[in-house]
Amino acid sequence: MFGAPGSGKGTHGRALGAIPNFFHCACGDVFRNLRPDSELGKIFIEHTSEGSLVPDKPTIDLWRKVIHASEQMGRFHPDADTLVLDGIPRNVHQAEMLRDTLDVVAIFYLTSRKKENLIARMQRRALKDNRLDDANLDVIRERLKVYEKETRPVLDFYGKKIVRRINTDGVPVETFFSILKHVVKL
């Protein structure tokens, strides 16, 4: 799942993850579940409160630990399950760090023609899910700038052949239907 903050990566990634033989892993959720007084929890809060990305090495290390733990607990079966990533890789360096780990077969690029749709979704999510990183309009604007500068180039890293562009301006069920139409072709 790929797109700007507020594009619906989490919503649609969780929905795909509910289908047998799909496993959804949202890096942001992993970070938000850390204890805020832990070393990594403090790093996460420091960066997200500014709208910036958590440094690459701790992000990848934490992701690897979560995937390994999910395998050990029997929640993720890499030989049988399709891994649905959400929020990782967040930049080209992370994509390079994961090159030998991931076999990326498709990128569902969730897009909106209206930036105000993204902002409205993030603000609703801030209230609904108690997400402090989505509550401040200045932080939201910074996150969108960081996305354009650091995350969007990941599309070029993987190449256009595997990118499936999906407009998210409609209702969520229409968006999910568009995603499923691409999934069945894989």
Side-chain angles (χ1 to χ4, degrees):
M1 305 306 293
F2 191 89
S7 64
K9 296 181 302 293
T11 297
H12 300 296
R14 276 188 297 281
L16 266 181
I19 297 171
N21 296 108
F22 284 83
F23 180 78
H24 174 243
C25 180
C27 202
D29 291 347
V30 170
F31 275 117
R32 280 184 287 282
N33 286 324
L34 293 171
R35 289 184 40 178
D37 60 344
S38 70
E39 183 179 335
L40 196 49
K42 289 177 185 176
I43 292 170
F44 171 73
I45 290 170
E46 173 190 339
H47 287 276
T48 58
S49 66
E50 299 169 350
S52 63
L53 300 178
V54 177
D56 296 340
K57 183 161 177 14
T59 297
I60 299 300
D61 289 347
L62 178 63
W63 178 83
R64 289 183 193 277
K65 286 179 188 173
V66 167
I67 293 297
H68 180 73
S70 296
E71 286 181 56
Q72 297 300 104
M73 293 173 18
R75 292 178 47 225
F76 173 53
H77 308 279
D79 295 335
D81 294 342
T82 297
L83 180 59
V84 179
L85 293 178
D86 163 1
I88 192 166
R90 279 285 175 97
N91 60 41
V92 172
H93 185 243
Q94 288 181 10
E96 290 169 345
M97 292 172 76
L98 293 169
R99 180 179 285 165
D100 295 336
T101 304
L102 300 175
D103 178 20
V104 179
V105 295
I107 295 174
F108 298 107
Y109 178 28
L110 307 179
T111 64
S112 174
R113 291 185 182 103
K114 301 175 183 175
K115 191 190 243 182
E116 54 271 12
N117 286 349
L118 302 174
I119 292 169
R121 286 182 192 138
M122 285 189 278
Q123 290 177 320
R124 281 192 308 270
R125 182 172 69 187
L127 295 171
K128 182 180 164 206
D129 298 338
N130 195 28
R131 290 201 29 191
L132 299 177
D133 54 326
D134 290 334
N136 182 309
L137 195 54
D138 291 332
V139 172
I140 289 171
R141 286 188 181 116
E142 182 60 25
R143 288 183 66 203
L144 292 170
K145 284 181 195 170
V146 168
Y147 164 78
E148 287 297 327
K149 180 180 177 193
E150 296 186 42
T151 305
R152 200 157 186 258
V154 171
L155 290 172
D156 294 330
F157 176 84
Y158 287 113
K160 293 178 182 179
K161 287 183 180 179
I162 64 170
V163 175
R164 310 298 186 265
R165 190 180 190 101
I166 298 169
N167 184 292
T168 63
D169 289 328
V171 295
V173 72
E174 290 171 342
T175 300
F176 192 62
F177 183 67
S178 295
I179 292 168
L180 289 177
K181 285 194 295 188
H182 289 290
V183 168
V184 298
K185 294 177 185 176
L186 294 178

